[in-house]
Amino acid sequence: MGTPISELGEFRLIDRITSPFPKFHNETIRGIGDDAAVLKLNSENYTIITTDVLVEGIHFNLVYTPLKHLGYKAVAVNLSDIAAMNGTPKYITVSIALSAKFSVEAIEQLYSGILAACEKYHVELIGGDTSSSMTGLMISITAIGEVLPQKVTYRSSAKVGDLICVSGDLGAAYLGLQLLEREYKLFKDTPEIQPDFSTKEYLLERQLKPEPRFDILKTLNDAGICPHAMIDISDGLSSEINHICTKSNVGAKIYAHKIPIDTVTSITAEEFNMAPETAALHGGEDYELLFTVNADHLNKLLTIPSISIIGMITEAHEGIKLILQGGNEVDLSTKGWDAFLS
Ligand code: ADP
Ligand code: MG
């Protein structure tokens, strides 16, 4: 028997399997280890490339995920990784593996969502692959974009003294998933009961139809602000700030009461007996941007409504801390904060 993968976790597994691979080409500006790879294929722009895989039963449940939404989301989450590099998306390839349970019409539904995202973000579908699968559906999308070399935002470029900012609000997508899971379980037991999602539409939309925040990149660019470090929030604020701090060799202070949380998110978190901050810190799939900005831009940032300043970058030895209202500090580099919040 070999080592169970769960013993390493996703990130250490990736490190382990990819570390022996040599670098051969001068065009590789960044390989593995950020939201996307960065290549210098032409003299003007950097080319950005990112891939994600979505597996039925792991990343989505078709009982409550319409295929059109799934197609849209599969594209959106890839484009979000391009956004995290401060890039502009241009092309995608889409590969699917299908079991016999899917009809032509079902796959057309999936592709109508992929098309809607391509139209919205001006992205061209340029290829892919189609295969059969033993069970269920798998979708893998590769997105290709570009960025000017002076604008690219790595995880590794946060500076001590930077303000830590987040776009939009957090925790809603996670609670949307909790609602869908709860209604799915009720439906399995009592099929005649119809789910009632009234007042919770925002949470469902955040879970089923996330949008990459290119609007935020434009707002920042128009304001003359270029973030130092950036990452998109796919796994939760706590995990993403750890990525930035580890790669940048810095620490962070985040103020719990500054984390943007929508009212419906707060109310629903309480219904699930969860502190809203727990959903915001630990729930994923919001696809908002987490970025650090030179503190000289404070006044400009304060005038932008869809951006919240939630903390600041500190020296590495200060660690990654969550400051609770009242002043208590919780270590965010482990999961220890959870018990403190709920
Ligand atoms: P994200 O959550 O932004 O999609 P990941 O954590 O999936 O990022 O990936 C982190 C880095 O590891 C990226 O550079 C990605 O390309 C790389 N990576 C992930 N899985 C593999 C794999 N199986 N083989 C090679 N590289 C991988
Ligand atoms: Mg990412």
Side-chain angles (χ1 to χ4, degrees), residues 162-166 255 257-260 297-302 307-312:
D162 278 0
L163 302 169
I164 301 172
C165 305
V166 67
Y255 295 89
H257 66 284
K258 299 273 191 193
I259 298 172
H297 291 307
L298 175 64
N299 287 333
K300 276 195 240 172
L301 283 168
L302 289 172
I307 291 176
S308 306
I309 303 169
I310 60 169
M312 70 182 88

Side-chain angles (χ1 to χ4, degrees), residues 61-339:
N61 182 339
L62 288 176
V63 172
Y64 52 69
T65 312
L67 279 162
K68 183 172 181 179
H69 282 77
L70 179 63
Y72 190 94
K73 181 168 173 173
V75 177
V77 305
N78 268 273
L79 300 189
S80 180
D81 278 325
I82 300 279
M85 309 304 289
N86 209 9
T88 305
K90 301 221 118 160
Y91 305 104
I92 56 166
T93 65
V94 178
S95 298
I96 51 175
L98 301 165
S99 67
K101 74 177 178 184
F102 293 94
S103 65
V104 171
E105 288 73 20
I107 300 311
E108 280 179 336
Q109 279 294 310
L110 178 72
Y111 270 72
S112 70
I114 293 175
L115 174 63
C118 284
E119 286 177 338
K120 173 146 189 189
Y121 293 104
H122 296 178
V123 166
E124 290 177 25
L125 175 66
I126 54 163
D129 197 18
T130 307
S131 158
S132 51
S133 101
M134 297 291 280
T135 52
L137 172 65
M138 193 217 65
I139 312 168
S140 173
I141 297 190
T142 296
I144 301 159
E146 62 184 19
V147 64
L148 288 171
Q150 65 272 23
K151 294 266 167 88
V152 66
T153 50
Y154 299 115
R155 296 175 177 185
S156 56
S157 26
K159 307 269 179 300
V160 174
D162 278 0
L163 302 169
I164 301 172
C165 305
V166 67
S167 64
D169 58 78
L170 301 181
Y174 175 77
L175 285 160
L177 181 62
Q178 300 312 303
L179 280 175
L180 288 164
E181 288 277 346
R182 183 178 74 187
E183 295 304 312
Y184 170 54
K185 288 200 184 94
L186 284 175
F187 176 79
K188 270 203 306 199
D189 298 339
T190 348
E192 55 282 4
I193 297 180
Q194 283 300 307
D196 178 13
F197 292 124
S198 55
T199 78
K200 309 287 194 195
E201 290 85 355
Y202 178 63
L203 305 181
L204 297 189
E205 188 184 317
R206 295 284 287 171
Q207 169 57 221
L208 294 174
K209 195 167 176 289
E211 302 287 0
R213 298 305 308 261
F214 293 105
D215 58 325
I216 294 291
L217 301 186
K218 181 171 188 315
T219 305
L220 287 170
N221 192 51
D222 291 349
I225 300 171
C226 187
H228 282 163
M230 187 147 64
I231 190 168
D232 67 321
I233 304 185
S234 50
D235 295 338
L237 175 61
S238 162
S239 169
E240 313 304 355
I241 192 66
N242 269 278
H243 283 313
I244 286 188
C245 289
T246 309
K247 297 267 169 178
S248 300
N249 195 24
V250 294
K253 252 190 180 98
I254 289 185
Y255 295 89
H257 66 284
K258 299 273 191 193
I259 298 172
I261 300 175
D262 185 84
T263 318
V264 182
T265 306
S266 291
I267 293 168
T268 312
E270 307 285 356
E271 286 168 16
F272 280 95
N273 290 318
M274 176 188 288
E277 293 84 353
T278 303
L281 280 162
H282 201 46
E285 298 200 288
D286 289 307
Y287 297 100
E288 294 295 342
L289 294 171
L290 174 68
F291 53 96
T292 81
V293 171
N294 190 307
D296 293 348
H297 291 307
L298 175 64
N299 287 333
K300 276 195 240 172
L301 283 168
L302 289 172
T303 64
I304 305 176
S306 42
I307 291 176
S308 306
I309 303 169
I310 60 169
M312 70 182 88
I313 295 292
T314 58
E315 302 275 358
H317 68 83
E318 295 183 61
I320 306 172
K321 303 285 189 226
L322 181 71
I323 318 294
L324 303 181
Q325 219 153 9
N328 283 348
E329 285 189 7
V330 180
D331 186 7
L332 261 195
S333 54
T334 63
K335 298 268 162 59
W337 49 269
D338 216 335

Side-chain angles (χ1 to χ4, degrees), residues 26-48:
N26 289 334
E27 294 91 340
T28 316
I29 306 297
R30 283 287 159 114
I32 288 161
D34 214 303
D35 293 293
V38 179
L39 309 178
K40 190 167 172 55
L41 299 179
N42 66 52
S43 56
E44 200 186 343
N45 289 305
Y46 283 169
T47 303
I48 311 171

